[in-house]
Amino acid sequence: MGTRRIAAIAALVGWAGLALQLALIVGSLGPPLGMWRFVGYFTILANIGAALVATAIALGSGRRLASARARLIAATSIALVGIVYSVSLRALWHPTGLQKVADVALHDASPLLFLAVWTLSPHPRLRWREIGWAMLPAAVYLAYALARGLADGWYAYWFLNPADQSAGELAASAGVVLCGFALVATVLVALDQWLGRTAESAG
């Protein structure tokens, strides 16, 4: 029940942050462009995924959404949101007011809360091949973001913008993103195995 309560808090924070960010971007750009830009950010998509998984855990339903694999995929993605934002993006702008609230909710609170949920959830000692599943959102997003950019010239992140980088630098940026996902997923799978063994020993 403790895990479900924390999952409920994580879900509420995630959905509230998403709703606030959507309202802000639609208010600034209008509904059509605002909605299109909203779903262009990996931060938004990762938070939607984490909120869905947290909601399923809180409600005690949705076997697939609350499965160990789904939890790993969501935890890897949302952890990278916090890490990449802090390392590469936080210093580039200084939001205030409601935008600051949305920023903290989506980049700080949501990752920390979901990782707490992941830590407290059951750990079936995942196999190493699950790392590939955890990297799938990164690969799909890279293709999606580049395709969007080619279509309308807008890129959510500077490190994915071909206008700001050579082909080699762009490939290196994509490689760094994939390696980051692989590293975080590896750490989480290793922790899952350790937490699973610890629980079995305690049992």
Side-chain angles (χ1 to χ4, degrees):
M1 290 300 295
T3 303
R4 290 177 63 181
R5 290 192 186 100
I6 296 175
I9 295 172
L12 286 172
V13 169
W15 291 124
L18 287 164
L20 176 57
Q21 185 61 72
L22 177 61
L24 290 171
I25 197 168
V26 167
S28 175
L29 300 177
L33 182 57
M35 287 290 294
W36 177 239
R37 290 285 177 86
F38 182 72
V39 295
Y41 292 95
F42 185 80
T43 291
I44 298 300
L45 301 176
N47 269 277
I48 290 173
L52 285 170
V53 174
T55 300
I57 295 171
L59 296 176
S61 61
R63 287 185 179 180
R64 291 186 178 180
L65 276 178
S67 68
R69 177 178 290 171
R71 295 196 304 270
L72 174 67
I73 292 171
T76 302
S77 296
I78 202 68
L80 261 295
V81 165
I83 293 170
V84 172
Y85 184 77
S86 294
V87 171
S88 301
L89 303 172
R90 192 184 298 275
L92 298 181
W93 78 318
H94 304 283
T96 59
L98 290 177
Q99 184 57 66
K100 179 66 174 179
V101 175
D103 186 73
V104 171
L106 298 176
H107 295 105
D108 299 309
S110 184
L112 291 173
L113 284 168
F114 191 83
L115 288 173
V117 173
W118 179 86
T119 301
L120 294 172
S121 295
H123 294 278
R125 299 174 66 175
L126 294 170
R127 297 184 180 183
W128 294 109
R129 65 169 177 254
E130 296 296 330
I131 293 171
W133 285 100
M135 293 176 63
L136 186 60
V140 171
Y141 180 77
L142 287 171
Y144 166 68
L146 291 173
R148 281 177 55 108
L150 289 173
D152 63 10
W154 178 82
Y155 296 86
Y157 305 104
W158 65 266
F159 52 83
L160 295 180
N161 190 345
D164 295 335
Q165 305 175 89
S166 66
E169 290 172 332
L170 182 61
S173 295
V176 168
V177 170
L178 291 172
C179 287
F181 269 76
L183 178 60
V184 171
T186 299
V187 170
L188 290 177
V189 170
L191 282 173
D192 177 84
Q193 294 181 355
W194 179 74
L195 290 169
R197 286 194 298 270
T198 301
E200 289 174 4
S201 298

